[in-house]
Amino acid sequence: GRFEDARDFLARGRAISEELGFRVWLAGFSLLASEIEILADDPAAAERELRKGYGALEQMGDRGLLSMVAAELARAIYAQGRFEEAERFTDASKELAATADMASQISWRAVRAKVLARRHEFEAAEELARGAVALAEQTDGLNSQGGALMDLAEVLELAGRAGEAQPVLEQALDLFERKGNAVSARKARTRLGAFEAPM
């Protein structure tokens, strides 16, 4: 939760990369910046960072990082309630992502699942969300696994299946706590608290 420290370290890293002329790294830093801003509950700031990175990578002709930036841009846009636009960026990520690019494959599926759930296409949404979870489970990334579970829980809640969402959130919370991700753990705990609130 030390967001100012995180932003400071990121700025220092960017300055070093700029000095060394690492253009792809500089564009890729938009992913780190967006992660900070999403954790800080500022998706608009995340979107600004990602759009800069997206533009730079597109100009360079880079496709590898671009797929992940597109997926995370979809996430930042979704968080601001612009669901159709978010879906367009999941399309871009899907088209760009290599089969072996697990991070992009997980992220575009998870975001599109939530968009579909918003349109009441619950069966397709759940299939995609569970697919994202299954892919995340093939990695050793606890944050990735926890994030995919949080997205699946949202799909289940939107489908009116809160009882099924609760154990999914509990699993996500456990993963975040094991990782030491205090901010995401707090968010999972807050969502779980809503189930225990008096009616």
Side-chain angles (χ1 to χ4, degrees):
R2 293 161 48 200
F3 298 118
E4 288 312 311
D5 288 344
R7 292 181 184 110
D8 180 55
F9 279 116
L10 181 66
R12 287 156 65 184
R14 275 179 161 155
I16 292 166
S17 292
E18 195 162 13
E19 189 179 324
L20 296 172
F22 293 165
R23 291 172 59 225
V24 176
W25 276 31
L26 274 170
F29 274 133
S30 66
L31 287 167
L32 296 173
S34 74
E35 188 173 358
I36 292 166
E37 300 307 338
I38 289 290
L39 284 169
D41 291 322
D42 193 345
E47 180 186 357
R48 286 192 298 274
E49 291 282 0
L50 290 162
R51 283 197 184 275
K52 282 187 265 182
Y54 192 90
L57 290 165
E58 206 170 31
Q59 196 171 31
M60 283 183 255
D62 179 277
R63 290 175 64 87
L65 268 179
L66 190 59
S67 67
M68 190 59 204
V69 172
E72 292 309 304
L73 190 48
R75 185 176 296 282
I77 291 167
Y78 174 88
Q80 296 173 77
R82 293 171 9 235
F83 306 131
E84 285 183 21
E85 188 180 356
E87 185 174 25
R88 287 198 297 275
F89 277 101
T90 67
D91 288 337
S93 180
K94 180 184 179 182
E95 188 179 325
L96 290 161
T99 309
D101 177 6
M102 292 293 267
S104 297
Q105 295 286 352
I106 294 163
S107 204
W108 76 255
R109 280 177 171 79
V111 177
R112 184 174 300 177
K114 296 191 294 184
V115 171
L116 292 176
R118 295 278 173 184
R119 289 207 300 256
H120 295 189
E121 296 176 34
F122 298 124
E123 189 176 336
E126 184 180 355
E127 184 180 347
L128 267 181
R130 290 195 184 278
V133 169
L135 286 173
E137 285 173 347
Q138 293 175 36
T139 76
D140 59 359
L142 299 184
N143 281 329
S144 181
Q145 293 170 24
L149 287 165
M150 294 280 279
D151 293 328
L152 171 59
E154 183 173 340
V155 167
L156 293 171
E157 287 178 82
L158 288 167
R161 293 157 59 192
E164 293 174 58
Q166 187 170 354
V168 173
L169 286 170
E170 287 167 353
Q171 194 179 347
L173 173 59
D174 177 62
L175 289 166
F176 291 138
E177 286 179 337
R178 282 168 49 201
K179 182 64 178 176
N181 183 343
V183 175
S184 294
R186 186 163 60 244
K187 290 179 180 185
R189 219 175 278 112
T190 298
R191 282 176 62 183
L192 279 166
F195 292 109
E196 295 158 15
M199 300 300 286

